[in-house]
Structure formats: structure tokens, C-alpha cells
Amino acid sequence: MTGATGNIGRMVVDHLLARGASHVRALTASPERAVLPPQVEVVRGSVRSPEALRTAFDGVEHFYLAPSPDTVEQVMALARDAGVRYVVDLSGEPESWWGLVSGAVEASGLAWTHLWPADFVENARMWLPQIRATGAVREPWPDGASTPTAMDDIAEVAAVALLSDDHAGEAYGLTGPEPVSRREMVRAIAEATGRPIEFVRATPEEATDALRPSMGETAEWYVGNVLSYLAGNVPSPNRLVAEITGRPATTFAAWADTHADELRAAIAPA
């Protein structure tokens, strides 16, 4: 599997092992720093440098593809030539930027399953620098809502799909179990950490300035496109995570509770 030490890829490894996988090969750019279980075969490589992958796919039948739109066509060609027959990819709908990944996967001729999460629960970490500095989150639309999916849920869906051919040909638009507004997300972090956090209704320009320390130049695009879209389009959740994994999907509040110590440390005043 690729991206084995990335945010989601590392969790996929754990879920594969938990579900009884006995032959897991993990691709990572830094094997010497990878803290992977001893039963995992660790191979040096990255989807961003496909020329180094010519032997990484030898003997592989199924693999998880971490998204890399710039090199995905080369990666898929190498996988096909090595005899890989099935890929589970993290990508996006055809009309999105990440649709370049799903399009290249389908064009490769391999069997496939697409995972299309719309929003990650973990994206809330973008707020941590401003909470630490000011005790508040500044955004324009407090009632804008999404159905964010926890990365661990995505990883477990990927593991289930990798362990059989039952999900081949499916494109799963993964969601969390319920819509949650921006104000509710801030409240959940406050309750989990025990620290008062204010939601301050701000102008788009003020929100961009507040997010820039964590998002850089992406902040303006995020406020003007993602947040403005969520303000007028409340999505409907689905039950795909629960149906595929056999357990309920993770709520935002549950994620905040699970990561309370990490969040508390990140927002503690200097």
C-alpha cells in the first residue's frame, strides 16, 4: 500500500492487520523513521517519485492509492505492468481536482473502488493556532454545516475494501453520521478540552487573516469557496461507513473527546 506513513495510510495498515491481513507491504519515503508493526514489509518509495517504484509492486494484487494527481498515471501504469489487479483509491468526484486520480485509475484497466470523502473531521485543526492565540475562532458563517468524516473511518473502509473484491466498481461518497455547523464544532472542541472558546462572527477578510497562520495562501481560497458554499448548502449524511465497517461512523464530538489531550496541548497559551 502507498502512503503508509501518511495520515490515512498509516491507519489503513492498522485496520488491515486488525482484520487479519497477513501480507502487508507498506510504501514509505523514510523506512528508517517509519514506526510500523514488525509483521509489515516496509519498502522505500513514494507515489510522488514513480520512477523508484518499478519493483515495489512485484507480487502485489491489491493496493491502496494515496492521492497524487501529478503522478497518478505513471503509478497506475507501473501497477498494471507489475500484475496488480485491484486498487482502492482516495480521490474525488470527476469534476473535482481529485477527480484526476479517479479518472486515471479507471483508465488503467484495473478493478477499482473510489473513496470520496467530502470533508475531514481533522480539518478542524486549522483553528488551533488562532484558538491558542486569541481563545476564539473567527469565521463569517456560524451556521454553515458539513458532514465531516474522520480519517480513521475512511481508513477502515479502505481496509475492508482491500480485503475482498466485493466493493469493486463502487464509488463511495463517504460522510460523517450527522451535519454539524461551524459553531457546533467549536463548541465540541471547547467541551472536550474544558477551555472556553468563543465563536466570533467575522468578515471573510478577517477570517482569512485568522486562518493564514495554519493555511498559508490557501486561506483566501478556503474562505471564499469552501466556507461560502457550506453557508448555503447543508449536506445530507449517509450510512456508508457504518454499512461497510459494521460500526457507527465517528461524530465530531466523539473525535474531539478522543483527541482531547492533543487538542488541549495545542491550544494551551504559550
Side-chain angles (χ1 to χ4, degrees), residues 156-176:
E156 189 166 0
V157 170
V160 172
L162 284 165
L163 290 172
S164 78
D165 294 328
D166 294 346
H167 301 274
E170 299 288 348
Y172 291 130
L174 302 177
T175 76

Side-chain angles (χ1 to χ4, degrees), residues 237-248:
N238 60 47
R239 290 185 45 79
L240 284 171
V241 169
E243 291 168 359
I244 294 168
T245 66
R247 63 163 179 83

